Amino acid sequence: MHSLQGFTHHPGAHCGSTALNNLARFYGHPLTEPLCFGLGEGLGFMTVVLPGRSPSHLAMGRNPFLEERFFHNLGIPFQWAQSPDAKEAWRAAREAIDRNAPVLLKTDLHYLPYYHSKTHFSGHVVVLTGYDEQGGEAILSDTHFETLQNVSIDELAQARKSRHPPNPLENHFHVVERFPIPDDLAPVLCRAIAHQAKSMLEPLEYGAAKAGVPGMEHLARTFGEWAQAPDWSWCARFAYQIIERRGTGGGNFRRLYARFLAEAESRLPGKGLSGLSARMEAIADRWTDLATHLKEISEAEEPAGFAAAGERMAAIASAERAYYTAALAFA
């Protein structure tokens, strides 16, 4: 058995921010999960239609670059390594553990047996903390579980090379060496808050997907089209889960971000962050209301209610556009 010396797993709300929180603790940095999430500019939005797949309509609320942005905002280089060779990718991860360096891994949680999930969801982030080559097991630190999780090395290899959306994988990993954080986080927090806002108002392009606040506005206009999907019930149910249940902290990650803003306020006195955190909490409530509505749609006999979901989405988009416009002042 080979395992990290001094690593302690602390459960959290979201996979990426929980992993970052545990890595920060491992290296002696007193950062909470909300601070890690906010430093990683964790909010996002993306909606996409996937013909021939189910769910055929997706809407997701997290920035896909959380881990990268966290390290870059702290002035630390970061890049996901990847390899088409599963054996080579495992060897690199195993050698990192041998020198007591934790490893971030991207996985499809469908292949992690302790989830018992029938649904594929690739891009789920875990921390490799140890392995038992003779027993054929890897040891993972994973989100809300109270203890470390054991998984067979073969199952982990399958999880690391899933080709399913939203993030097809190619054995993505990053070895996290000891890293410093600035003594004064105030300018880092201001930069992260402002850049988060800009990225939502002026999102990157992601192929057929619509992102950021413009993506929300697009979904508001087209939500009614979900009623024509053959899997409309599952689309509504999955969207409810993605907003409220699957490691978001509630309210499509907005409640977790509101906690970040509240913590940042104590480090930035007099900057008006209490107003921003209250606005974000109210936005989270709107997302929870939408999720509840989508759950009700999924349980109905007919696909009624998507037009009303569009109206709720339009109100959310308007509130988020106003919030991000105000947050740009922290640049």
Side-chain angles (χ1 to χ4, degrees):
M1 175 73 71
H2 299 259
S3 59
L4 296 175
Q5 300 301 306
F7 186 94
T8 302
H9 170 75
H10 298 267
H14 172 61
C15 65
S17 49
T18 297
L20 294 172
N21 176 232
N22 281 311
L23 291 170
R25 288 172 181 265
F26 179 67
Y27 286 125
H29 305 310
L31 299 179
T32 65
E33 183 189 359
L35 278 174
C36 291
F37 186 81
L39 285 168
E41 303 172 24
L43 294 187
F45 182 80
M46 186 182 298
T47 184
V48 64
V49 179
L50 299 168
R53 293 186 179 272
S54 190
S56 59
H57 293 65
L58 284 175
M60 298 165 287
R62 201 208 88 166
N63 163 20
F65 307 111
L66 169 67
E67 296 79 22
E68 293 98 315
R69 293 304 309 167
F70 171 82
F71 284 104
H72 288 163
N73 279 331
L74 292 174
I76 302 162
F78 182 100
Q79 184 173 4
W80 287 104
Q82 52 186 298
S83 171
D85 188 331
K87 290 184 178 179
E88 174 62 23
W90 172 246
R91 182 193 62 77
R94 187 186 63 212
E95 289 180 354
I97 297 299
D98 290 345
R99 65 173 189 273
N100 212 47
V103 187
L104 278 172
L105 305 177
K106 285 188 178 183
T107 66
D108 180 344
L109 61 74
H110 170 77
Y111 296 111
L112 301 177
Y114 49 85
Y115 273 104
H116 308 289
S117 175
K118 296 180 181 179
T119 305
H120 289 276
F121 194 82
S122 58
H124 178 70
V125 174
V126 298
V127 180
L128 179 69
T129 68
Y131 68 91
D132 179 358
E133 198 83 59
Q134 186 173 358
E137 288 190 323
I139 306 168
L140 305 178
S141 168
D142 192 348
T143 321
H144 64 276
F145 296 95
E146 294 292 333
T147 60
L148 296 173
Q149 300 296 304
N150 288 18
V151 60
S152 78
I153 292 173
D154 290 341
E155 288 168 326
L156 181 58
Q158 196 172 15
R160 296 180 65 193
K161 203 168 182 180
S162 170
R163 306 306 297 168
H164 289 268
N167 299 296
L169 303 177
E170 195 74 61
N171 294 306
H172 289 65
F173 71 98
H174 181 81
V175 177
V176 183
E177 308 287 356
R178 181 175 295 278
F179 61 90
I181 64 170
D183 292 332
D184 182 8
L185 278 178
V188 181
L189 293 170
C190 287
R191 184 167 61 247
I193 290 167
H195 191 268
Q196 169 76 90
K198 184 177 181 181
S199 70
M200 289 296 289
L201 293 170
E202 302 172 12
L204 297 174
E205 294 186 6
Y206 298 97
K210 306 295 184 182
V213 174
M216 295 179 201
E217 293 164 345
H218 170 81
L219 180 58
R221 295 189 299 269
T222 61
F223 228 143
E225 297 174 7
W226 287 36
Q228 308 304 316
D231 60 340
W232 61 267
S233 179
W234 176 227
C235 290
R237 188 74 177 193
F238 193 69
Y240 151 69
Q241 293 175 359
I242 287 294
I243 293 169
E244 200 64 25
R245 303 287 298 175
R246 290 178 177 245
T248 73
N252 207 20
F253 297 96
R254 275 59 182 169
R255 218 169 299 285
L256 183 57
Y257 195 76
R259 289 168 55 198
F260 156 69
L261 291 170
E263 289 195 35
E265 181 184 4
S266 66
R267 297 170 181 262
L268 297 165
K271 293 288 188 177
L273 277 176
S274 59
L276 289 185
S277 62
R279 290 173 73 169
M280 186 55 62
E281 190 69 42
I283 289 171
D285 290 340
R286 288 180 180 271
W287 278 107
T288 296
D289 174 67
L290 173 61
T292 301
H293 180 69
L294 290 168
K295 182 174 182 286
E296 292 170 353
I297 292 175
S298 75
E299 295 169 347
E301 295 295 328
E302 300 293 333
F306 284 110
E311 294 172 1
R312 285 173 165 84
M313 188 70 254
I316 291 171
S318 177
E320 292 221 2
R321 181 173 287 281
Y323 163 83
Y324 297 122
T325 300
L328 285 175
F330 285 84

